Amino acid sequence: MHGTNLGTLLRTCDAVGACLAVPPYRWVDEALARGNTLRRPSCVHRVGDPAGWLAAERAAGSRIVGVELADEAIRLAEVPVADRRTVMVLGHEATGIPPQALDLLDYAVEIPMVGTGHSLNVAVAGSLVLYKLAGLT
């Protein structure tokens, strides 16, 4: 929803040794540059068909983890450290993960909140889960 989120997520990916996969929309490059303060080139993949890419990743053995409020979601504290290639899926802050991608998840993660907000900023939520998956918390 806000352009700086992608750059912030890119910095988190760099911090935990991950890559960022993004759709090939025109606004993505500007959004990445806006929040990115890294001094070296980063690992960014352009994905033209996100659902198709996720399906291929899953078929190749990757675990697909979504950050989403769902009935079966596990709490952030219960997320195991990734023991194989893992793809974390984030959706739009307002509409969430698209249904076609939800069907490809191995599991969803929810981040408990005690305040009055509906959700965390997508960059914050993604960063929390990335650190948990990387075993750095």
Side-chain angles (χ1 to χ4, degrees), residues 2-5 7-8 11 27-37:
H2 304 287
T4 57
N5 286 330
T8 300
R11 291 183 359 233
W27 56 266
V28 168
D29 288 331
E30 180 184 330
L32 286 171
R34 195 176 309 152
N36 181 7
T37 59

Side-chain angles (χ1 to χ4, degrees), residues 28-71:
V28 168
D29 288 331
E30 180 184 330
L32 286 171
R34 195 176 309 152
N36 181 7
T37 59
L38 299 173
R39 295 184 179 140
R40 295 186 183 158
S42 303
C43 182
V44 177
H45 300 277
R46 310 285 188 211
V47 177
D49 172 17
W53 181 78
L54 285 174
E57 285 292 319
R58 189 167 194 205
S62 295
R63 179 172 287 128
I64 311 298
V65 176
V67 182
E68 183 77 15
L69 294 174
D71 290 337

Side-chain angles (χ1 to χ4, degrees), residues 5 8-9 12 16 65-69 75-77 79 88-93 97 109-113 118-133 137:
N5 286 330
T8 300
L9 279 168
T12 301
V16 302
V65 176
V67 182
E68 183 77 15
L69 294 174
R75 294 170 62 96
L76 178 64
V79 172
M88 182 182 70
V89 180
L90 297 164
H92 189 278
E93 287 183 26
I97 297 173
V109 177
E110 70 172 327
I111 302 172
M113 296 175 51
H118 177 65
S119 66
L120 292 172
N121 169 286
V122 69
V124 172
S127 295
L128 288 169
V129 176
L130 277 172
Y131 266 84
K132 190 76 170 145
L133 287 168
T137 60

